[in-house]
């Protein structure tokens, strides 16, 4: 099935009654398709000769070809909830099978935790694949880059012995986060209707991008152009900052620090669209590392309590320039319960569960250190996330967080104004007024941390995992029982 997304099966199926002319036409069509898609196996396809009658040999070749394509699947990994699902950990596990790891959206609002050789790393802008030797990392056009923060992240990794040179590419089309974005973000957070942002300037930076007044990496690579544009932007933004009662910023200081950061980043800046397409032609496997989660998506999330990018699967295409038919599978990461940091409704929020998880030292934000709000697993949300993302496989993390919780609640529907809802309402106030319908399941009251196979998990834990996967509507393929790479069960 996955294969169909690469090359439609129909293009190669040969009917027994096909005439030589039809076959020739089909062959030409196939060649055209092959050229158009620049498939790396172009040569092999061209060698497949189509004759009037199907041969079992051809069918066999096709089967092998299918398997080969499936095995080099390009994977989009996304968060199915409100962010912090444990994407960093799962990316790290999947990176073993990938050649390239790409970020396509968000900025340094993300905090992806990876435990590598016993050391805990939190990655903000750099794809999590950077920790593994031989993997290439790409920051795509859809990401908003704070160059000063990125240089600091690179330096921090250098100090920890992580090599970053030819293994990182940054899109020249990626937009820049500038100090006035951060200050505007902070200022808006002081006012009514705050979102509880990370104050990294993400919303204002994407705002400028949409308003077509943003500065990009390509500008930063041309110091004279950059300085001119920056000066105009600072004059404009200083007026806004003054009106808000904030201190104006100095053009000279920003110009200097950004140009210095730009020089540091120059070796990494590239046309990443071309790079990724060439890599696909060469058969490289790409892992698209989603940041944030489905309900923080600017279109599909709990607006306005969202981030400013498309955090859902579609964002991987627009944010990298890799078209949808090059994507082979979508892996959705979700916690065995729900968490959220910042404002906005979390329908299954539960004070006791929150308290319990915090007392275990869990659920503190990786970027801001804020306490995450916690709640029961919300299948209304994850079912909707499955729909939006086309989730093929599920990775369920933090199962161990529920190890001594009994009974465990699962939200199977919402009730709003006496009516049952099976999908989350679009309106933030309505969502805030939704009451969850819970099913209760038995806990397992024992540690799952040592389990390395599904069968080694307690029966009640297996039942719970199957239950929440079925409610979500996707196949369970991974279970995480601890933060480390090895604390993973692959089904
Ligand atoms: P991300 O933003 O989705 O990458 O997630 P974060 O890194 O912000 O937060 C997830 C947290 O859960 C991190 O502290 C991880 O180390 C941790 N984590 C991930 N999976 C597991 C798990 O299965 N069990 C435990 N105990 N911790 C986990
Ligand atoms: P990762 O990739 C959890 C939340 C903020 C706030 C809202 C808007 O680690 O899962 P922003 O700074 O983006 O304008 O904030 O989105 N938020 C996240 N919550 N995980 C994240 O990233 C988040 N990135 C942003 O808390 O509610
Ligand atoms: Mg995080």
């Amino acid at each position: 099935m996955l294969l169909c997304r690469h090359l439609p099966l129909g293009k190669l199926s040969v009917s027994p009654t096909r005439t030589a002319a039809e076959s020739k036409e089909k062959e030409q069509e196939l060649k055209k398709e092959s050229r158009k898609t620049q498939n790396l196996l172009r040569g092999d396809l061209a060698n497949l000769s189509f004759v009037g009658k199907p041969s079992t040999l051809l069918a066999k070749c096709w089967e092998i070809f299918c398997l080969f394509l499936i095995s080099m699947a390009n994977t989009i990994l996304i968060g199915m909830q409100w962010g912090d699902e444990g994407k960093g950990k799962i990316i790290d596990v999947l990176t073993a099978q990938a050649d390239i790891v790409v970020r396509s959206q968000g900025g340094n609002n993300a905090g992806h935790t990876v435990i590598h050789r016993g050391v805990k790393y939190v990655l903000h802008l750099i794809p999590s694949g950077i920790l593994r030797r031989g993997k290439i990392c790409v920051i795509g056009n859809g990401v908003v880059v704070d160059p000063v923060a990125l240089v600091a992240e690179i330096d921090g990794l250098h100090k920890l012995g992580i090599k970053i040179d030819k293994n990182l590419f940054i899109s020249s089309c990626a937009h820049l986060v500038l100090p006035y974005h951060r200050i505007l973000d902070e200022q808006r957070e002081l006012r009514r209707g705050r979102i509880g942002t990370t104050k990294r300037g993400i919303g204002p930076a994407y705002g400028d991008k949409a308003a077509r007044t943003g500065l990009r990496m390509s500008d930063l690579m041309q110091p004279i152009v950059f300085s001119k544009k920056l000066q105009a932007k600072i004059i404009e933004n200083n007026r806004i900052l003054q009106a808000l009662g904030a201190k104006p910023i100095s053009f000279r200081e920003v110009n200097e620090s950004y140009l210095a950061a730009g020089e540091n980043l120059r070796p990494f800046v590239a046309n990443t669209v071309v790079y990724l397409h060439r890599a696909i032609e060469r058969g490289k496997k790409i892992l698209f590392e989603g940041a944030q989660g489905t309900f923080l998506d600017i279109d599909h999330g709990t607006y306005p309590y969202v981030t400013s990018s498309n955090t859902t699967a579609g964002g991987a295409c627009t944010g990298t320039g890799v078209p949808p038919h090059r994507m082979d599978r979508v892996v959705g990461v979700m916690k065995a319960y729900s968490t959220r940091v910042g404002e906005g409704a979390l329908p299954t929020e539960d004070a006791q569960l929150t308290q319990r998880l915090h007392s275990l030292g869990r659920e503190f934000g990786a970027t801001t250190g804020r306490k995450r709000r916690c709640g029961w697993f919300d299948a209304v949300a994850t079912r909707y996330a499955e729909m939006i993302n086309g989730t093929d496989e599920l990775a369920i993390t933090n199962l161990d967080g529920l190890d001594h919780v009994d009974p465990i609640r699962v939200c199977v529907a919402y009730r709003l104004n006496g009516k049952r809802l099976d999908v989350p309402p679009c309106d933030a106030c309505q969502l805030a007024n939704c009451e969850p319908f819970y099913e209760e399941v038995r806990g397992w009251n024992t540690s799952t941390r040592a389990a390395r196979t599904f069968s080694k998990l307690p029966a009640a834990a297996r039942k719970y995992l199957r239950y929440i996967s079925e409610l979500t509507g996707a196949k369970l393929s991974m279970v995480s029982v601890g933060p480390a790479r090895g604390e993973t069960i692959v089904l």
Side-chain angles (χ1 to χ4, degrees):
M1 284 311 288
L2 290 174
L3 173 74
C4 300
R5 296 189 202 171
H6 257 284
L7 266 179
L9 257 174
K11 302 268 183 220
L12 275 176
S13 64
V14 183
S15 104
T17 53
R18 183 170 289 158
T19 64
E22 276 171 340
S23 295
K24 183 125 185 98
E25 200 181 301
K26 207 74 196 161
E27 186 182 355
Q28 275 170 356
E29 199 185 313
L30 172 72
K31 279 185 179 164
K32 216 165 96 194
E33 180 74 18
S34 175
R35 262 199 308 276
K36 202 172 95 196
T37 56
Q38 301 209 339
N39 195 295
L40 94 144
L41 290 178
R42 190 168 43 201
D44 304 40
L45 281 170
N47 290 337
L48 283 178
S49 60
F50 283 79
V51 287
K53 287 207 170 118
S55 75
T56 49
L57 181 68
L58 186 62
K60 205 77 210 155
C61 286
W62 182 239
E63 234 173 71
I64 295 165
F65 181 55
C66 292
L67 285 173
F68 185 51
L69 282 181
I70 290 165
S71 74
M72 50 177 227
N74 289 335
T75 301
I76 300 176
L77 182 140
I78 47 87
M80 297 281 283
Q81 296 158 321
W82 284 267
D84 300 331
E85 295 89 348
K87 297 178 294 295
K89 143 120 199 209
I90 302 298
I91 298 260
D92 177 56
V93 173
L94 292 178
T95 298
Q97 310 296 322
D99 300 298
I100 303 170
V101 185
V102 193
R103 273 282 301 274
S104 55
Q105 43 72 228
N108 59 338
N109 50 348
H112 297 173
T113 314
V114 179
I115 315 270
H116 175 68
R117 298 192 175 144
V119 179
K120 178 174 157 177
Y121 296 82
V122 180
L123 296 141
H124 299 288
L125 267 166
I126 301 180
S128 305
I130 204 76
L131 304 178
R132 294 212 191 217
R133 207 168 285 162
K135 309 293 172 178
I136 303 290
C137 288
V138 175
I139 296 176
N141 55 277
V143 176
V144 285
V145 177
D146 179 331
V148 176
L150 180 53
V151 169
E153 192 170 338
I154 292 173
D155 287 348
L157 288 170
H158 268 305
K159 283 189 191 127
L160 292 167
I162 306 296
K163 206 169 125 234
I164 304 178
D165 47 36
K166 291 194 167 62
N167 52 348
L168 178 68
F169 293 100
I170 307 164
S171 168
S172 51
C173 292
H175 275 251
L176 302 180
V177 178
L178 286 135
Y180 47 82
H181 292 134
R182 276 197 308 274
I183 304 171
L184 283 172
D185 197 356
E186 279 165 21
Q187 285 295 320
R188 288 176 190 163
E189 284 296 296
L190 294 173
R191 285 165 170 72
R192 263 165 58 113
R194 66 188 288 271
I195 287 161
T197 73
T198 58
K199 299 184 187 162
R200 299 295 191 269
I202 305 299
Y206 276 115
D208 270 359
K209 175 178 175 175
R212 294 150 296 168
T213 60
L215 301 187
R216 307 197 290 178
M217 284 306 295
S218 60
D219 295 311
L220 190 59
M221 294 301 104
Q222 308 170 69
I224 297 170
V225 172
F226 175 76
S227 300
K228 207 170 150 201
K229 289 189 180 179
L230 179 71
Q231 191 157 31
K233 287 296 290 180
I234 288 194
I235 291 170
E236 179 192 340
N237 279 282
N238 273 346
R239 287 202 199 107
I240 301 170
L241 293 179
Q242 271 166 327
L244 291 170
K247 247 176 70 187
I249 50 178
S250 146
F251 162 71
R252 198 179 49 79
E253 279 171 26
V254 177
N255 193 44
E256 259 176 33
S257 61
Y258 271 62
L259 287 180
E263 286 316 307
N264 268 304
L265 298 177
R266 188 177 292 283
F268 308 115
V269 179
N271 183 329
T272 53
V273 172
V274 172
Y275 173 76
L276 291 172
H277 278 256
R278 296 220 169 115
I280 291 170
E281 279 173 38
R282 297 200 319 274
K284 300 291 178 196
K285 291 176 242 169
I286 305 177
L287 180 55
F288 296 84
E289 172 173 354
Q292 291 82 49
T294 298
F295 295 98
L296 294 174
D297 184 284
I298 183 79
D299 285 287
H300 303 290
T302 56
Y303 192 91
Y305 302 103
V306 292
T307 190
S308 300
S309 63
N310 282 116
T311 62
T312 43
C317 296
T318 54
T320 61
V322 176
H325 71 288
R326 283 280 170 261
M327 305 298 187
D328 300 295
R329 68 169 174 168
V330 178
V331 174
V333 185
M334 57 192 205
K335 275 181 179 146
Y337 46 93
S338 306
T339 65
R340 173 167 206 166
V341 59
E343 304 300 313
L346 181 65
T348 61
E349 188 164 8
D350 185 275
Q352 253 184 316
L353 186 61
T354 303
Q355 162 67 27
R356 181 184 196 111
L357 291 164
H358 288 165
S359 70
L360 295 170
R362 306 170 72 118
E363 303 309 343
F364 293 90
T367 298
T368 58
R370 289 177 292 174
K371 283 183 175 175
R372 294 177 186 144
R373 299 151 59 195
C374 306
W376 302 108
F377 185 82
D378 184 343
V380 179
T382 59
R383 195 161 47 225
Y384 197 55
E386 187 278 327
M387 193 184 281
I388 294 164
N389 295 298
T391 312
D392 296 299
E393 293 173 32
L394 289 172
I396 301 180
T397 67
N398 288 275
L399 180 71
D400 54 309
L402 297 179
D403 276 354
H404 298 280
V405 180
D406 192 10
I408 298 170
R409 292 176 132 194
V410 176
C411 168
V412 294
Y414 296 157
R415 189 184 1 231
L416 179 68
N417 302 328
K419 283 202 187 115
R420 183 188 159 109
L421 293 185
D422 291 312
V423 292
C426 168
D427 182 76
C429 289
Q430 286 182 1
L431 183 67
N433 288 327
C434 280
E435 275 177 63
F437 265 116
Y438 287 117
E439 294 280 343
E440 262 184 15
V441 299
R442 294 306 311 267
W444 42 96
N445 298 303
T446 181
S447 173
T448 53
R449 289 287 290 265
R452 294 294 174 268
T453 59
F454 196 68
S455 61
K456 286 275 182 314
L457 286 170
R462 293 201 301 266
K463 203 169 160 192
Y464 178 71
L465 290 166
R466 284 198 200 99
Y467 184 47
I468 62 174
S469 306
E470 270 163 28
L471 287 172
T472 302
K475 188 182 132 213
L476 177 63
S477 72
M478 254 191 253
V479 180
S480 170
V481 291
R485 195 178 281 167
E487 293 173 306
T488 313
I489 297 168
V490 180
L491 279 82

